[in-house]
Amino acid sequence: QVHLVESGGGSVQPGGSLRLSCAASGTIFSTNIMGWYRQAPGKERELVAHIFNDGTTYYADSVKGRFTISRDNAENTVTLQMNNLKPEDTAVYSCKADIRPSYRTKAYEYWGQGTQVTVSS
């Protein structure tokens, strides 16, 4: 059984910063892509950023230069540092990871429970 647990959401004023963390636990053989998605009210879920286990990153255009994704492969954690936050960043942020629970199995997608980020003055 694999679980992803997120932390770090909250409320902040425009221009502020927040740091989201996600930790994978359970039976883990290997972890490939880890990433963050967000869904605002009335909108579809969108990819914010992801990172491969070799450190290669991808960012949505809307967050480039403001957000930084990083990971600790030994601890199976992924972090999203969000700076210069804007009201349009308000959403529920969810962590996703592609994990092989065992060398016998393929990789599966696992999701965290989501954490609210609210940017408002």
Side-chain angles (χ1 to χ4, degrees), residues 22-121:
C22 173
S25 63
T27 305
I28 298 173
F29 173 71
S30 65
T31 304
N32 190 9
I33 302 173
M34 302 186 81
W36 290 93
Y37 289 72
R38 67 185 181 187
Q39 187 168 21
K43 295 187 177 181
E44 292 188 357
R45 185 168 60 193
E46 63 174 352
L47 173 64
V48 177
H50 67 214
I51 182 169
F52 290 83
N53 54 14
D54 66 358
T56 303
T57 58
Y58 164 85
Y59 295 94
D61 287 342
S62 58
V63 306
K64 281 180 181 176
R66 301 187 298 122
F67 292 10
T68 302
I69 190 169
S70 59
R71 66 186 284 169
D72 184 327
N73 290 333
E75 298 293 329
N76 289 309
T77 59
V78 61
T79 299
L80 186 69
Q81 177 66 43
M82 304 185 294
N83 297 328
N84 190 22
L85 282 159
K86 304 176 180 180
E88 52 263 41
D89 294 318
T90 296
V92 174
Y93 285 70
S94 298
C95 168
K96 184 178 83 74
D98 293 348
I99 294 173
R100 286 181 68 187
S102 163
Y103 73 93
R104 297 190 183 93
T105 67
K106 65 176 183 177
Y108 297 92
E109 288 186 355
Y110 293 89
W111 290 86
Q113 78 282 5
T115 184
Q116 178 69 44
V117 170
T118 302
V119 184
S120 174
S121 56

